[in-house]
Amino acid sequence: MSVTDRRLTRRGEATRARIVETAAGLIYAHGVARTNNEAVRSAAGVSGSQLSHYFPDKESLLRAVLRWRADAMMGLHQTPPQGPPDSIAALRSWADSNLTDETVRDGGCSFGSLAAEVMKSGLDLNDEIAGGFDRWKAQLREGLTAMRAAGVLRPDADLEHLAYVLMAAFQGGMLLSQGARDVTPLRNALYGAIAYVETFGNA
Amino acid sequence: MSVTDRRLTRRGEATRARIVETAAGLIYAHGVARTNNEAVRSAAGVSGSQLSHYFPDKESLLRAVLRWRADAMMGLHQTPPQGPPDSIAALRSWADSNLTDETVRDGGCSFGSLAAEVMKSGLDLNDEIAGGFDRWKAQLREGLTAMRAAGVLRPDADLEHLAYVLMAAFQGGMLLSQGARDVTPLRNALYGAIAYVETFGNA
DNA sequence: AGATAACTGGGCTGTCAAGCCCAGTTACGG
DNA sequence: CCGTAACTGGGCTTGACAGCCCAGTTATCT
């Protein structure tokens, strides 16, 4: 994992972070294959030497981007100020906040579409992808657990199952919506998944 | 679209088809980015001239592959001998037939994962992708329509909505399962989606 | 039989990108 | 203030791959 874990001064860490964020943005917009070192370099305002200093090869940079994206996803997928969606209403507002035209047209799920491309790239980054999805699942389960504790969901509701359903609806909906350049598929997928969660409710 | 629509003899069409199928196989296994002309050429047992004869550039070949994959998907996603799944049982057996370890490890959905990669490639193939998903949706709706006609689903069930839910569950589940190298996410996504369809039943 | 499609098997050019080396300057931390 | 990290800005090699041109042979259709 690069030179990272060595002694990095505050300045060094800032530069490294700037590189990662810049790369993440470019990759989101244009994909991995069409994002080369030079583009990252110039967009981040960094010389080539620095890029290869922090990230000796493309795989190490991609690993950092993947992790950064996963972190960002954790922050993104929570509607209540603190923590993941913990009520049907919160789930709905979570869904709606992702039903924007920009999200759909600009590249889908910032983590999922990247993961899809990386998985086909032959690079050894599957652990990072699996880890990201796992963390996301854990966060969703957290919210679902709160819902069950609050009596919104029945005690016998399978939270792991519901978390999978929500994630798949999100990722699949994003893919379909990207293809159709229209939020309709994503909306249907998310609303359907949430309605399914509701069938495990105490209503 | 290439030289295709010109007069193609039987032999010519056979060769063209062989190229497309070979390319589809290689791309499924290794992704678009890591499948070059030479690999297709040699695997299909065809000289370079022929490859560029039928497909002057990579985009035209990819377009043909995309269409071929969509056709294949139509054939694949139907459990009853003729036609798409038209009962809950048929949906279940459709799901199960896709829950194999190989499918998950070898590259996910043959159309969906290709579509994801192509969308990020910058090539102008979005129409082909949207068309493929549309045809798939139409086929799923066909089965759902039969189910409604047979009284399995209530008259007020929104079939378009259900088709979207099934498709998204499939695609999203495939993506998650590929990342985890495990069919569990896909199984949960599909079973959940089918259970959701059942909530619109006349039971 | 004549035209055209199908096909071989090279080779060549341009382009793009990754990884690497180097010689030097500037900032920071103990 | 000394050592090391941070940084500039080149240049260079190597490899991969797409698209193209060419000179010729074989099959197919009418």
Side-chain angles (χ1 to χ4, degrees):
Chain A
M1 156 175 308
S2 78
V3 203
T4 309
D5 11 48
R6 291 286 159 74
R7 318 148 207 157
L8 272 193
T9 67
R10 200 162 290 182
R11 195 184 173 205
E13 272 190 275
T15 302
R16 186 181 182 277
R18 198 170 71 249
I19 293 173
V20 174
E21 286 181 45
T22 306
L26 290 172
I27 287 174
Y28 183 63
H30 308 120
V32 176
R34 293 190 302 159
T35 303
N36 59 6
N37 292 348
E38 205 285 328
V40 174
R41 196 201 61 61
S42 73
V46 157
S47 74
S49 316
Q50 284 308 95
L51 189 54
S52 43
H53 175 233
Y54 293 108
F55 305 101
D57 53 32
K58 202 156 191 177
E59 184 172 311
S60 61
L61 176 57
L62 265 177
R63 166 163 275 117
V65 168
L66 232 17
R67 189 161 299 178
W68 189 84
R69 275 292 179 211
D71 289 340
M73 186 167 58
M74 298 306 112
L76 206 68
H77 288 277
Q78 41 190 6
T79 312
Q82 273 345 13
D86 57 357
S87 69
I88 296 296
L91 275 178
R92 289 218 184 87
S93 102
W94 161 74
D96 287 336
S97 70
N98 283 291
L99 288 175
T100 69
D101 287 347
E102 308 91 49
T103 312
V104 162
R105 298 185 194 229
D106 290 0
C109 171
S110 58
F111 184 79
S113 64
L114 171 56
E117 199 183 351
V118 169
M119 283 189 296
K120 285 286 182 186
S121 75
L123 294 170
D124 185 23
L125 291 168
N126 214 278
D127 51 339
E128 211 69 51
I129 292 168
F133 280 136
D134 262 0
R135 286 167 59 198
W136 188 28
K137 187 180 73 180
Q139 180 170 280
L140 277 170
R141 277 200 61 153
E142 228 183 279
L144 292 166
T145 304
M147 288 172 71
R148 190 169 59 181
V152 179
L153 296 179
R154 288 196 303 272
D156 65 309
D158 184 343
L159 307 187
E160 182 95 349
H161 171 65
L162 294 179
Y164 276 133
V165 167
L166 286 169
M167 288 196 293
F170 188 88
Q171 295 297 338
M174 276 291 185
L175 180 65
L176 296 173
S177 275
Q178 259 189 282
R181 295 186 189 282
D182 176 16
V183 293
T184 306
L186 177 59
R187 189 184 324 110
N188 277 277
L190 288 178
Y191 286 7
I194 293 173
Y196 178 62
V197 172
E198 281 190 272
T199 67
F200 291 86
N202 267 318
Chain B
M1 155 176 307
S2 77
V3 202
T4 310
D5 10 47
R6 291 286 160 73
R7 320 147 207 157
L8 270 193
T9 67
R10 199 161 293 182
R11 195 182 173 208
E13 274 190 274
T15 302
R16 186 182 182 278
R18 199 170 71 250
I19 293 173
V20 174
E21 288 182 44
T22 306
L26 290 172
I27 287 173
Y28 182 63
H30 309 120
V32 176
R34 293 189 302 159
T35 303
N36 58 8
N37 291 349
E38 205 285 328
V40 174
R41 195 202 62 60
S42 74
V46 157
S47 74
S49 316
Q50 284 307 96
L51 189 53
S52 43
H53 175 234
Y54 292 108
F55 306 100
D57 52 32
K58 201 156 193 179
E59 184 172 311
S60 61
L61 175 57
L62 266 177
R63 165 164 276 115
V65 168
L66 233 14
R67 189 162 299 178
W68 188 84
R69 276 291 180 212
D71 290 341
M73 185 166 59
M74 297 306 112
L76 206 68
H77 288 276
Q78 40 189 10
T79 312
Q82 260 9 353
D86 56 358
S87 69
I88 296 295
L91 276 178
R92 288 218 184 87
S93 102
W94 162 73
D96 287 336
S97 71
N98 284 291
L99 288 174
T100 69
D101 286 348
E102 307 90 50
T103 311
V104 163
R105 300 186 192 226
D106 290 0
C109 172
S110 58
F111 184 79
S113 64
L114 172 56
E117 200 182 351
V118 168
M119 284 190 295
K120 284 286 182 186
S121 74
L123 294 170
D124 186 24
L125 291 167
N126 213 277
D127 51 340
E128 211 67 53
I129 292 168
F133 281 136
D134 261 1
R135 287 167 58 199
W136 187 28
K137 186 180 73 180
Q139 180 169 283
L140 277 171
R141 277 200 60 155
E142 229 182 278
L144 292 167
T145 303
M147 289 172 71
R148 190 170 60 180
V152 179
L153 295 179
R154 288 196 303 271
D156 65 309
D158 183 343
L159 306 187
E160 181 95 349
H161 172 64
L162 294 179
Y164 277 133
V165 167
L166 287 168
M167 287 197 293
F170 188 89
Q171 295 297 337
M174 275 292 183
L175 181 65
L176 296 174
S177 275
Q178 259 189 282
R181 297 187 188 281
D182 177 16
V183 293
T184 307
L186 177 59
R187 189 184 324 110
N188 277 276
L190 288 178
Y191 285 8
I194 293 173
Y196 178 63
V197 171
E198 282 190 271
T199 66
F200 291 86
N202 267 320

